[in-house]
Amino acid sequence: MIQGPGENAGVIDIGDGMAAVFKMESHNHPSFIEPFQGAATGVGGILRDIFTMGARPVANLNALRFGKVKGDDDIAKYQRHLVRGVVDGIGSYGNCMGVPTIGGEVSFDESYNGNILVNAFSLGLVKSDEIFLGVASGIGNSVMYVGSKTGRDGLGGAVMSSDSFTEESKSLRPTVQVGDPFTEKLLLEACLELFKTDHVVGIQDMGAAGLTSSAFEMAGKTGAGLIMHLDKVPAREEGMTPYDFMLSESQERMLICAKKGSEQAIIDIFEKWELDVAVIGEVTDTGRMELMWHGEKCADMPIAPVSEEAPVLDRPVARPKYLDEVNAKSVESYPAVDDQEAYETLLSSMEVSDKAWVYNQYDSMVQTNTTKAPGSLDASCIRIKENGKALAMSSDCNPRYCYIDPKKGAALAVVESGRNVAMSGARPLSITDCLNYGNPENPEVMWQFAQGCEGIKEACSELNTPVVSGNVSLYNETNGISVFPTPAIAMVGLNEDENRVLPSAFQEEGSQLLLVGETKGEFGGSLYIKALHGETAGSLPTFDYKSELALWELVIEANKKGLLKSAKDVNVGGLAIALSKMAAVSNKGVEAEIDLEDSKYIFDESQSRALLEVSSENVEAVVRMAMDLGIKVTNIGTVGGETVKVNDVELSLEKVKDVYFNTFARTIEQDL
């Protein structure tokens, strides 16, 4: 790790003098109020966090949570409207910026009916000795404003994003920022040109709370003071007040601490790119923020209490009362369902179905480095042209797990994202997170949040994948109803050879299928209970980090030796759903048979499992490697044919493909 939490983004070393810069952020409330601009400016904001560090953004992901979208009631219709608007906004901004959106996740639950979650991730590349930080230092150095002019859009956005929703909140469109990706593209190129010079002490993007946040953060990190002349800030509206200038969240803006004497050179660069630029202040030694308005001081206050010395709240916590009820249930608490019926129901679930309708609106191939694109299953990958390696990344969280056990659920989000990365042949290195929770003033929500942090801490420590950046989004509730705890995790991993990126769908008919790991009949928080019985219930089992690491090691090392054709983890929906996804994406059938204690265990969600596709001649070698690592491995079948058959369930390959690829689009477009 080169740079951890506390900066605009985290930075990790990826070898050969190169570094990866990445972060995840939320834009939840704005996207519910105005889905297109809310989601679009969320993308714009996370991109600025990356190139502010000196890195060129090369890959985006997103993690989206919506409410109920099936049905003809008003809630379902509105949620479908939100899906369409959010996806359009993400695609519009990312595509205009020329940054590929290479993956992500979309899930649905009624808990998001009143408060959707829109989390954006971006990753950039930079030389490891050319990283810039968001600091202001050096008495007399200039403070410069660059980018778009300041308007009144976004006023109150930070406050709105940090408050609970009510019915009246839907009318708060003026608090949602308006983005211009074409201006941001110019800003990106201008900043990267600036970073090649020796003119910059520090740089900070203007996100939530605009100029207030950026100025206090930059000065607070060094203990410096600032004096700023707000009447010198470029404005696009008449009659703006100091309050407007300090709290506007107009997009595509940066604050620069420039070396004294470099002002004109910086002005020349930004004017060349047709961007606004102005010297608006300087660094002082007072430790205070002094704001001037046409020669008169309009504000003067200490910086430290607002930044580095901000008070730490000790909120009360209480274990939620609902846990006793939901944890007491098991899969046996519900009526038995025929396996074939269960299979077809799970396959048509919105959570399982392919999201081509979403990712086809994103340009995933721009920059020509994407080697594992959206829809390829598990992690997404890009090549690093500079050193011949590849980066894999995956965004994951199962909110149902986090609802029934906030600590274990958060830990499993880290585990799942790491496992997906390992399935691509990359070694998981580090995470960023976006912690989405309800109202922390509610002791039960605060308990969920605290437990989630403990779970992430434990998992990252056990898996040796440190947290390098992140974001916290609270007050995700409407009319007192909180969303499920949703700590979204994005894992980044490194593959030493760009030519060894491992597919996650079947590659060759006649290949053997190995199931790695144990199927124990775990259904707590499962899709099986949710899809068939409409509840989120059960208990999460204990799981073994050593077994998880052994699984990663097996896949990574076997891939290095060229022993694997494909690999996919087994998680939501269990073995039957994992095999169906591999079959649909590859257009190859499968016949699998496994001896289980109960027939419905083909849908269980036991952890630390994966499906490996192996040529017949390599089976023995892979089995031996698994045994050496202490992992159970079972040969369960063969790739090929015109059907998908798993024990007692069977469906034609064509039907599986139709359900898998078309269900989502049919649902989301039914109003059009």
Side-chain angles (χ1 to χ4, degrees), residues 11-87:
V11 187
I12 61 172
D13 187 356
I14 55 175
D16 306 299
M18 297 293 297
V21 180
F22 56 95
K23 189 183 179 184
M24 182 182 260
E25 275 198 349
S26 64
H27 232 222
N28 302 335
H29 286 181
S31 300
F32 187 83
I33 295 169
E34 212 304 295
F36 179 91
Q37 288 294 351
T41 52
V43 173
I46 195 64
L47 288 170
R48 288 196 302 280
D49 280 339
I50 302 307
F51 70 77
T52 300
M53 302 288 293
R56 180 175 291 279
V58 295
N60 290 347
L61 305 175
N62 49 75
L64 312 177
R65 320 279 171 188
F66 298 98
K68 184 186 75 166
V69 292
K70 287 188 174 181
D72 294 320
D73 57 277
D74 290 344
I75 290 176
K77 289 178 181 177
Y78 191 66
Q79 288 295 317
R80 292 194 291 267
H81 158 74
L82 291 174
V83 172
R84 295 191 293 267
V86 165
V87 171

Side-chain angles (χ1 to χ4, degrees), residues 24 44 58 106 112 134 147 169 273 287 308 317 367 403 410 464 536 601-602 607 625 664 667:
M24 182 182 260
V58 295
V106 187
Y112 305 110
S169 301
W273 289 97
E308 303 304 299
V317 298
Q367 299 189 16
Y403 177 72
N464 194 29
T536 299
Y601 284 11
I602 59 172
Q607 296 297 309
M625 289 178 70
F664 189 87
T667 302

Side-chain angles (χ1 to χ4, degrees), residues 321-558:
K321 298 179 180 62
Y322 73 81
L323 285 175
D324 291 334
E325 180 182 349
V326 301
N327 291 162
K329 295 184 176 181
S330 71
V331 71
E332 306 304 333
S333 306
Y334 302 93
V337 179
D338 174 75
D339 288 340
Q340 186 71 27
E341 179 187 347
Y343 172 62
E344 294 185 27
T345 301
L346 265 63
L347 186 64
S348 63
S349 159
M350 294 297 285
E351 193 158 335
V352 169
S353 59
D354 181 70
K355 308 304 187 299
W357 184 91
V358 173
Y359 60 73
N360 283 345
Q361 296 186 52
Y362 306 152
D363 190 337
S364 62
M365 302 307 293
V366 67
Q367 299 189 16
T368 67
N369 293 317
T370 307
T371 55
K372 198 172 182 183
S376 302
L377 305 177
D378 291 353
S380 302
C381 302
I382 61 166
R383 65 176 177 137
I384 309 170
K385 288 185 290 189
E386 289 82 355
N387 61 13
K389 299 177 181 180
L391 285 171
M393 53 208 81
S394 178
S395 171
D396 294 278
C397 178
N398 188 326
R400 290 188 301 275
Y401 290 177
C402 297
Y403 177 72
I404 66 172
D405 192 326
K407 181 178 179 180
K408 287 182 181 176
L412 285 174
V414 179
V415 169
E416 170 68 9
S417 59
R419 190 186 308 139
N420 282 337
V421 165
M423 292 304 114
S424 73
R427 187 169 299 281
L429 293 180
S430 181
I431 75 160
T432 183
D433 56 31
C434 192
L435 309 182
N436 306 274
Y437 289 82
N439 185 346
E441 297 169 42
N442 179 335
E444 293 189 348
V445 171
M446 191 63 200
W447 185 87
Q448 293 175 327
F449 176 60
Q451 288 290 298
C453 293
E454 288 297 322
I456 294 169
K457 174 184 174 183
E458 177 187 282
C460 287
S461 177
E462 293 285 344
L463 300 172
N464 194 29
T465 54
V467 184
V468 298
S469 59
N471 173 250
V472 178
S473 174
L474 303 174
Y475 295 93
N476 291 292
E477 71 165 31
T478 296
N479 297 327
I481 301 173
S482 291
V483 300
F484 278 2
T486 312
I489 305 293
M491 180 74 77
V492 176
L494 183 67
N495 192 320
E496 295 291 338
D497 185 352
E498 65 174 289
N499 299 310
R500 284 287 184 196
V501 172
L502 186 59
S504 293
F506 299 143
Q507 297 298 299
E508 187 176 332
E509 300 218 357
S511 297
Q512 300 297 297
L513 283 174
L514 303 180
L515 174 63
V516 182
E518 295 187 53
T519 302
K520 304 173 183 177
E522 306 291 355
F523 286 90
S526 65
L527 181 63
Y528 185 91
I529 292 177
K530 178 65 178 179
L532 298 177
H533 307 291
E535 292 188 1
T536 299
S539 298
L540 293 181
T542 56
F543 53 92
D544 183 14
Y545 291 109
K546 290 182 179 177
S547 297
E548 186 68 32
L549 286 169
L551 174 61
W552 297 5
E553 193 69 18
L554 172 64
V555 175
I556 293 167
E557 293 303 317

Side-chain angles (χ1 to χ4, degrees), residues 47 88 285 573 588 643:
L47 288 170
D88 191 15
D285 63 354
K588 293 178 174 61
T643 62

